[in-house]
Amino acid sequence: MAELDWNDLKVLLAVGRTGKLSAAAIKLRADHATVSRRISALEDALQVKLLERRSTGVTLTEQGAKLMQSAEAMESLAISSVADLHHAEMHISGAVRIGAPEGFGSYFLAPRLGALCDQHPDLEIELVAMGAVFSLSKREADIAVGLTRPEQGRLFSRKLTDYRLALYASKDYFDTHDPIAKISDLKRHRIIGYIEDLIFSSELSNMFAQADVPPPKLRSSNLIAQMKAAVSGAGICMLPAFIAQNHAQLQPVLPDDISARRSFWLTVHADLRDLARVRTTCDFIESAVRMDRDQFL
C-alpha cells in the first residue's frame, strides 16, 4: 500500500479548488515549484496521473477527482475531531475569513469587528467585502453573508435580517434639478445602478420592476461607487437604508412609492460550524445585527 503524506493531500485539495498551481501556492503560502513537486510525489506514490496540466491551468483526472473526494472526507473528519476536542475550550484563537457584500461588510460589519478582536485577542479576522458569491466548499470563506439562502451543498444557513432599499439623491442634486413629485418625473432624471451582466446575485436585478423607473444611465458593479456618485450629485441611486443613513446629504426620493425589501443570510459549511472560532464569530455577527436591526429597516 502506498505511503501517503497528508501534506501532499492538502496540496491536492488546494490545487483542485483553485484550478491553478500558482493560486494553490499562494493559498498554501508556498512557492509554485513546491506545489508541483508535491503533486508529482503524490502521483509517483500512487502510480496514477492526478492532474492534466494545460496553459490555462490544471484539471483533475478521473483518479484525481476520486482522490480529492477522499481527501475532503479526511479533511472533514480532522476538522470535526479538533472541534470535539476543543468543544469546551474557552480560549478562542486562529483565523476566520468572512465573505460579505461590500455594503454590509464595509458599512455595518467592519466598524464593529474591533469589539470582537478585543474580546478574543488571539482571533484573526479576515473580512472580504466585495460583490461576489463565496464558495464555502472551496474554502473561499469560512463564513459567508449573502442575499439568498443556498439550496445545495453541506451548508448551514440562517436569516440575519431583512433590509430596506429606497431611492436617494443628494441635496445638491435636488437643488439643481427638476422637482420629483411622482414616479413619472423620474424619466427626466439620471438613475445610477448596476451593470446588468456583472450583477453577482439575481436579488439585485430588476430593482425597479415594481415602478416605471428609467434604466440607469450611470452604472457600476460596486455599490459603494454608486453611493459615492449619488453623494456627489451625479444622480439618483437605489441604496440600502443602513448605508444611506450614514450620509446626511442623501435624501430619500419618493419613499412612499418606490422601495424594495431584501434579506441577508449567514452561511457556514457544515464541517466548520462547530469550530469554536467560527461559532464565536457567527454569534458575534448575529448579535450585532440583532442589536441594530432598526438600521436595516
Side-chain angles (χ1 to χ4, degrees):
M1 186 175 180
E3 290 289 336
L4 288 181
D5 186 332
W6 169 240
N7 288 321
D8 292 340
L9 291 177
K10 287 198 294 185
V11 172
L12 179 67
L13 286 173
V15 172
R17 287 165 176 166
T18 61
K20 292 186 177 181
L21 295 177
S22 56
I26 293 173
K27 188 178 183 68
L28 295 167
R29 297 181 180 178
D31 56 64
H32 183 282
T34 299
V35 171
S36 181
R37 185 170 63 251
R38 287 272 190 186
I39 293 295
S40 295
L42 191 56
E43 289 178 327
D44 290 342
L46 297 173
Q47 293 297 298
V48 295
K49 189 174 184 180
L50 301 174
L51 299 179
E52 294 286 354
R53 293 168 169 83
R54 298 185 175 88
S55 58
T56 56
V58 297
T59 57
L60 293 170
T61 63
E62 182 179 353
Q63 293 89 344
K66 288 181 179 178
L67 182 58
M68 183 167 176
Q69 186 176 12
S70 298
E72 287 182 325
M74 294 169 65
E75 180 188 52
S76 297
L77 180 61
I79 290 172
S80 61
S81 298
V82 171
D84 289 341
L85 288 172
H86 295 87
H87 185 72
E89 178 62 57
M90 298 304 294
H91 182 72
I92 306 298
S93 63
V96 177
R97 177 173 292 183
I98 307 167
E102 61 264 37
F104 181 89
S106 298
Y107 272 83
F108 181 80
L109 194 54
R112 292 165 171 78
L113 287 176
L116 176 61
C117 294
D118 289 342
Q119 293 171 23
H120 306 286
D122 292 326
L123 185 63
E124 302 171 23
I125 297 296
E126 299 178 354
L127 175 61
V128 184
M130 60 185 294
V133 177
F134 297 90
S135 173
L136 298 183
S137 62
K138 293 183 178 180
R139 302 300 193 258
E140 292 176 353
D142 301 311
I143 301 169
V145 176
L147 303 182
T148 57
R149 182 175 191 171
E151 299 293 334
Q152 298 178 339
R154 296 180 58 247
L155 305 174
F156 178 81
S157 298
R158 50 187 179 266
K159 183 188 283 190
L160 281 176
T161 183
D162 290 334
Y163 68 99
R164 188 178 65 83
L165 302 100
L167 290 176
Y168 292 89
S170 70
K171 185 178 183 302
D172 290 341
Y173 184 87
F174 280 111
D175 290 342
T176 56
H177 290 78
D178 293 339
I180 305 172
K182 54 187 182 297
I183 294 177
S184 59
D185 292 339
L186 292 172
K187 294 179 179 179
R188 301 193 303 273
H189 292 265
R190 183 187 301 119
I191 302 297
I192 302 168
Y194 283 97
I195 302 171
E196 194 66 29
D197 59 343
L198 295 181
I199 290 178
F200 71 93
S201 172
S202 60
E203 292 296 308
L204 298 176
S205 298
N206 302 318
M207 289 283 229
F208 309 110
Q210 86 276 29
D212 186 20
V213 177
K217 291 293 183 67
L218 175 56
R219 299 179 176 91
S220 173
S221 61
N222 185 282
L223 180 63
I224 295 176
Q226 295 178 34
M227 180 274 297
K228 291 286 189 180
V231 169
S232 74
I236 300 171
C237 184
M238 177 74 89
L239 292 170
F242 71 89
I243 292 179
Q245 67 188 8
N246 288 287
H247 300 275
Q249 61 270 55
L250 287 177
Q251 300 179 2
V253 179
L254 302 175
D256 295 331
D257 300 315
I258 301 176
S259 65
R261 195 181 183 100
R262 297 291 186 270
S263 303
F264 284 127
W265 292 82
L266 182 130
T267 304
V268 297
H269 196 280
D271 293 340
L272 305 181
R273 177 184 174 187
D274 292 326
L275 280 182
R277 63 181 183 273
V278 173
R279 187 176 64 249
T280 297
T281 305
C282 287
D283 290 345
F284 177 85
I285 295 172
E286 288 188 282
S287 176
V289 170
R290 188 165 53 250
M291 289 177 61
D292 291 316
R293 196 177 300 276
D294 288 348
Q295 291 191 25
F296 295 95
L297 298 171

